[in-house]
Amino acid sequence: MKNYLQNGHIVRVTTPAGGIASGDALIVGSIFGIAAYSSAEGDPVELSTTGVFQLPKASAAVLAVGARVAWDNTAKAVTTPAAGRFPIGVAVEAAGSGITSVAVRLDGVATAAA
Protein backbone atom coordinates (compact mmCIF):
# COMPACT_ATOMS: atom_id res chain seq x y z
CA MET A 1 0.00 0.00 0.00
CA LYS A 2 1.52 3.27 -1.05
CA ASN A 3 -0.47 5.23 1.59
CA TYR A 4 0.57 3.08 4.61
CA LEU A 5 2.42 5.07 7.30
CA GLN A 6 2.97 2.82 10.33
CA ASN A 7 1.35 0.04 12.36
CA GLY A 8 0.23 2.45 15.10
CA HIS A 9 1.43 0.39 18.06
CA ILE A 10 3.92 3.17 18.74
CA VAL A 11 3.14 6.80 17.97
CA ARG A 12 5.31 9.89 18.27
CA VAL A 13 3.94 12.92 20.14
CA THR A 14 5.38 16.09 21.65
CA THR A 15 6.36 15.77 25.32
CA PRO A 16 4.13 17.96 27.52
CA ALA A 17 5.16 20.47 30.19
CA GLY A 18 7.41 18.97 32.84
CA GLY A 19 8.76 16.21 30.58
CA ILE A 20 8.19 12.49 30.99
CA ALA A 21 10.14 9.52 32.31
CA SER A 22 10.53 6.19 30.56
CA GLY A 23 7.61 3.92 31.46
CA ASP A 24 5.29 6.73 32.56
CA ALA A 25 1.74 6.89 31.22
CA LEU A 26 0.63 9.87 29.15
CA ILE A 27 -2.64 11.09 27.67
CA VAL A 28 -2.45 13.31 24.58
CA GLY A 29 -5.93 14.15 23.34
CA SER A 30 -7.56 10.72 23.03
CA ILE A 31 -4.26 8.81 22.81
CA PHE A 32 -3.12 6.88 25.87
CA GLY A 33 0.32 5.34 25.90
CA ILE A 34 3.45 4.47 27.83
CA ALA A 35 6.62 6.48 27.19
CA ALA A 36 9.31 4.39 25.52
CA TYR A 37 12.06 6.62 26.94
CA SER A 38 12.53 9.77 29.02
CA SER A 39 12.01 13.03 27.17
CA ALA A 40 12.20 16.74 27.97
CA GLU A 41 9.31 19.14 27.50
CA GLY A 42 8.74 19.99 23.84
CA ASP A 43 10.85 17.11 22.51
CA PRO A 44 9.34 14.17 20.64
CA VAL A 45 8.59 10.98 22.59
CA GLU A 46 7.31 7.63 21.40
CA LEU A 47 4.31 6.12 23.16
CA SER A 48 3.42 2.43 23.14
CA THR A 49 -0.35 2.43 22.66
CA THR A 50 -0.96 -1.32 22.77
CA GLY A 51 0.54 -4.24 24.63
CA VAL A 52 0.50 -5.38 28.26
CA PHE A 53 2.07 -3.14 30.89
CA GLN A 54 2.39 -3.27 34.69
CA LEU A 55 0.89 0.04 35.82
CA PRO A 56 0.26 1.74 39.16
CA LYS A 57 -3.20 0.97 40.56
CA ALA A 58 -5.42 2.84 42.99
CA SER A 59 -4.98 0.85 46.19
CA ALA A 60 -8.72 0.65 46.93
CA ALA A 61 -9.72 -0.50 43.41
CA VAL A 62 -10.70 -4.17 43.06
CA LEU A 63 -10.15 -5.53 39.55
CA ALA A 64 -10.95 -8.97 38.14
CA VAL A 65 -9.22 -10.55 35.15
CA GLY A 66 -10.84 -9.11 32.02
CA ALA A 67 -12.35 -6.11 33.80
CA ARG A 68 -12.43 -2.84 31.86
CA VAL A 69 -10.07 -0.37 33.52
CA ALA A 70 -9.63 3.38 33.41
CA TRP A 71 -6.82 5.84 34.05
CA ASP A 72 -7.24 8.47 36.76
CA ASN A 73 -5.05 11.21 35.30
CA THR A 74 -5.01 13.15 38.59
CA ALA A 75 -3.85 10.21 40.73
CA LYS A 76 -1.82 8.74 37.82
CA ALA A 77 -3.22 5.27 38.50
CA VAL A 78 -5.40 2.53 37.01
CA THR A 79 -8.83 2.24 38.59
CA THR A 80 -12.43 1.33 37.79
CA PRO A 81 -14.30 3.22 35.06
CA ALA A 82 -16.26 6.29 36.25
CA ALA A 83 -17.02 9.85 35.22
CA GLY A 84 -13.89 11.86 34.46
CA ARG A 85 -11.65 8.80 34.07
CA PHE A 86 -10.12 7.60 30.81
CA PRO A 87 -10.91 3.99 29.70
CA ILE A 88 -7.57 2.47 28.62
CA GLY A 89 -8.02 -1.31 28.33
CA VAL A 90 -8.56 -4.45 30.41
CA ALA A 91 -6.90 -6.00 33.44
CA VAL A 92 -5.06 -9.23 32.58
CA GLU A 93 -4.62 -10.20 36.23
CA ALA A 94 -6.76 -9.88 39.33
CA ALA A 95 -5.75 -7.10 41.72
CA GLY A 96 -7.59 -6.62 45.00
CA SER A 97 -7.72 -3.89 47.59
CA GLY A 98 -4.27 -2.97 48.89
CA ILE A 99 -2.51 -4.04 45.68
CA THR A 100 -0.73 -1.06 44.10
CA SER A 101 -0.08 -2.26 40.54
CA VAL A 102 -1.86 -4.30 37.88
CA ALA A 103 -1.07 -5.74 34.44
CA VAL A 104 -3.20 -4.02 31.81
CA ARG A 105 -3.68 -4.73 28.10
CA LEU A 106 -3.89 -1.30 26.49
CA ASP A 107 -6.35 -0.57 23.71
CA GLY A 108 -4.65 2.68 22.67
CA VAL A 109 -7.58 5.05 23.12
CA ALA A 110 -8.37 7.24 26.12
CA THR A 111 -11.66 9.07 25.89
CA ALA A 112 -12.88 10.60 29.14
CA ALA A 113 -16.04 8.94 30.44
CA ALA A 114 -19.03 11.22 30.79
Side-chain angles (χ1 to χ4, degrees):
M1 291 176 281
K2 65 181 182 179
N3 58 343
Y4 178 82
L5 297 176
Q6 64 184 38
N7 67 26
H9 299 294
I10 296 177
V11 296
R12 181 175 279 188
V13 298
T14 301
T15 304
I20 192 163
S22 176
D24 281 356
L26 180 63
I27 295 175
V28 178
S30 291
I31 300 170
F32 178 86
I34 307 300
Y37 47 82
S38 297
S39 183
E41 177 180 337
D43 288 344
V45 65
E46 293 179 344
L47 299 180
S48 294
T49 61
T50 59
V52 178
F53 293 86
Q54 194 74 28
L55 298 175
K57 181 186 84 65
S59 180
V62 176
L63 304 172
V65 174
R68 295 287 306 158
V69 297
W71 183 253
D72 180 335
N73 206 37
T74 301
K76 303 295 185 197
V78 172
T79 190
T80 55
R85 297 178 183 162
F86 298 84
I88 61 168
V90 296
V92 295
E93 66 182 1
S97 182
I99 303 298
T100 59
S101 70
V102 63
V104 174
R105 182 195 170 276
L106 302 181
D107 58 19
V109 178
T111 303

